Amino acid sequence: MTSYDTQAPLGDPTPLALLDGVRVLDLTNVLAGPFAGYQLALHGAEVLKVEMPGSGDLARRLGADRELSEDLLGASFLAQNAGKRSLTLNLKDPQGREALLRAVREYDVLIENFRPGVMDRLGVGWQALREENPRLVYCAISGFGQSGPLRARPAYDQIVQGLSGMMSVTGTPENSPLRAGFPVADTLGGMAAAYAVAAALVRRERTGAGACLDVSMLESALTAMGWVTSNYLITGHPPQPMGNENFTAAPSGTFATADGHLNIAANRQRQFTTLCRLIGRADLIDDERFAHPADRKTHRDELRHEVEKGLSLRTAKEWEDILSDAGVPAARVLSVPDALGLEQLAERDFVRTLPFPGGRSRPLRVLGSPFQVDGVAVDDATPPPVLGEHTDQVLAELGYGTDEITAMKERGTV
């Protein structure tokens, strides 16, 4: 196994961020698009969030803290927009469209998650924008893609979870279908978009050509379902909900201990025998019901009952340490607060603390990137923007004079 020295980055002690110098226009709302833009910002891209004057991203009004939502700093917005600047533009106004076109000439990437056709109706779709900047990487994120009979339908995370089949395999036969407890389809769509943008930038570096990227949340969700989809496509066997069980192996799932639940994935024969010995049930190794991996899957309920007898003698944390140290994959089932408090995450500086936007004295805690670069956690240095916080600054950068900016404000363009 490779060992990484997390104290000393490779090569240059102050290396450039992966996307240093890349400029991104983020015209997105709520989650999938803003998540994609945030992942790019985390790695050094300069991300300019373009929002509707007066209201901005809908996520500014979403979250558990009503006061923050009323101040257009909803928790859902704060989570995905650190490291960005905010420019307000009314794209239904000709001057607003002209300002966007000016920006497109200077920027590398544009991300949007309007319904298919909306950008074209506004006069700022892919064909129009590529005339302004042939090197532009244009990324459109939608529920179902820019083509096909479902293209125009509205899509939120729950809609895609249901339509993708995710909900049909989540839960048990008694309580399925169930949605995942977090917006997994939105997040997968955003991650796919960030990956697509990065890949298109690599091609542009080689060829000079921009790209039009069409990201489908439905297809992203199905892609991420792995064995659930591949087993059906290859063998013709439709998947069924199995709760916390792993249909590929047993004992592999969630088990009761003396004080809580423990996930165990004893998928290999050696892991199974080690597990049996450590829980004081070596007799299970030669039990004819469990001798072969296929037999263990057939008799998984009986095996669970026997394994839990042994697990009942210790706590979930004790078993996590004992089994993991012996090479049997095992870990407690934690609450979200407990998971975020893991020493593992603190060691890797994954949860970041930023100044709170709008002058509040409280700190703002957000998640960082899920990967480090050269042994270093990447850093988003600026808090999420107040709506329109950088409008004057950005317009000046685009060549607008003070009088022009004032007139645009009076007109409602910005």
Side-chain angles (χ1 to χ4, degrees):
M1 180 177 294
T2 302
S3 176
Y4 295 96
D5 180 357
T6 59
Q7 301 304 313
L10 301 176
D12 187 337
T14 56
L16 290 176
L18 296 179
L19 296 174
D20 185 73
V22 174
R23 309 184 78 192
V24 179
L25 293 167
D26 180 351
L27 277 65
T28 65
N29 275 271
V30 188
L31 181 51
F35 180 82
Y38 181 48
Q39 298 308 304
L40 300 175
L42 283 170
H43 289 280
E46 177 190 326
V47 181
L48 175 61
K49 190 167 183 69
V50 181
E51 304 183 74
M52 187 67 182
S55 56
D57 186 340
L58 175 61
R60 287 184 177 275
R61 292 180 169 82
L62 302 177
D65 188 314
R66 179 174 178 176
E67 180 183 349
L68 287 177
S69 296
E70 290 176 347
D71 289 344
L72 301 184
L73 289 171
S76 297
F77 174 84
L78 296 175
Q80 310 298 341
N81 289 283
K84 303 179 185 180
R85 296 192 293 171
S86 173
L87 163 70
T88 53
L89 279 183
N90 180 0
L91 297 180
K92 295 180 180 179
D93 183 284
Q95 288 187 330
R97 291 194 294 273
E98 172 55 31
L100 179 66
L101 294 178
R102 284 200 196 187
V104 164
R105 296 171 198 139
E106 304 295 327
Y107 278 69
D108 303 287
V109 178
L110 184 145
I111 307 174
E112 56 95 349
N113 64 346
F114 295 106
R115 283 199 213 177
V118 169
M119 290 287 282
D120 286 324
R121 290 196 294 273
L122 291 171
V124 288
W126 161 240
Q127 295 299 335
L129 298 184
R130 73 186 301 191
E131 293 180 8
E132 302 293 331
N133 181 359
R135 290 173 54 84
L136 181 70
V137 172
Y138 180 103
C139 180
I141 308 168
S142 62
F144 311 111
Q146 302 296 305
S147 59
L150 300 182
R151 64 185 293 271
R153 286 191 182 180
Y156 286 93
D157 177 86
Q158 181 143 357
I159 302 302
V160 176
Q161 283 200 38
L163 201 57
S164 67
M166 277 187 177
M167 291 175 62
S168 75
V169 295
T170 303
T172 66
E174 293 73 32
N175 63 17
S176 181
L178 286 177
R179 68 178 290 276
F182 64 101
V184 60
D186 266 322
T187 304
L188 288 168
M191 191 67 82
Y195 161 66
V197 167
L201 288 171
V202 172
R203 188 185 75 170
R204 193 187 72 168
E205 185 68 20
R206 295 172 177 169
T207 68
C212 181
L213 307 172
D214 175 2
V215 177
S216 159
M217 287 170 55
L218 175 63
E219 292 163 29
S220 299
L222 282 161
T223 298
M225 289 166 67
W227 287 346
V228 169
T229 52
S230 63
N231 270 295
Y232 173 70
L233 289 172
I234 295 168
T235 71
H237 292 289
Q240 302 297 324
M242 295 184 64
N244 295 322
E245 291 289 331
N246 176 0
F247 74 90
T248 66
S252 187
T254 306
F255 298 81
T257 69
D259 71 340
H261 288 92
L262 184 76
N263 279 324
I264 299 175
N267 297 345
R268 300 180 180 181
Q269 183 66 28
R270 182 173 60 184
Q271 293 167 342
F272 172 65
T273 57
T274 301
L275 169 67
C276 293
R277 291 192 179 100
L278 289 174
I279 65 173
R281 293 302 309 274
D283 59 296
L284 300 178
I285 298 171
D286 297 320
D287 190 311
E288 62 181 14
R289 296 172 298 173
F290 314 131
H292 190 276
D295 297 327
R296 294 199 286 275
K297 289 192 291 183
T298 300
H299 300 284
R300 67 171 65 245
D301 291 337
E302 298 159 78
L303 179 56
R304 163 180 300 282
H305 179 71
E306 299 298 338
V307 168
E308 287 186 338
K309 286 181 181 179
L311 293 175
S312 68
L313 302 177
R314 294 180 183 269
T315 67
K317 180 63 171 69
E318 289 174 318
W319 283 123
E320 177 182 316
D321 294 339
I322 292 169
L323 295 175
S324 296
D325 289 346
V328 179
R332 291 161 292 161
V333 177
L334 298 180
S335 67
V336 171
D338 286 342
L340 291 172
L342 284 170
E343 183 181 347
Q344 172 70 19
L345 300 183
E347 174 69 24
R348 291 175 59 82
D349 201 17
F350 180 61
V351 180
R352 321 308 297 271
T353 300
L354 302 174
F356 210 99
R360 286 175 168 81
S361 59
R362 59 194 274 193
L364 174 65
R365 300 175 72 219
V366 297
L367 300 183
S369 172
F371 64 91
Q372 296 189 353
V373 180
D374 297 336
V376 178
V378 297
D379 189 14
D380 48 287
T382 60
V386 172
L387 179 62
E389 181 177 346
H390 305 94
T391 295
D392 288 8
Q393 179 188 61
V394 173
L395 291 177
E397 293 171 0
L398 295 176
Y400 289 92
T402 302
D403 291 343
E404 290 178 291
I405 295 173
T406 299
M408 292 170 77
K409 290 180 178 178
E410 292 174 348
R411 180 185 170 99
T413 302
V414 299

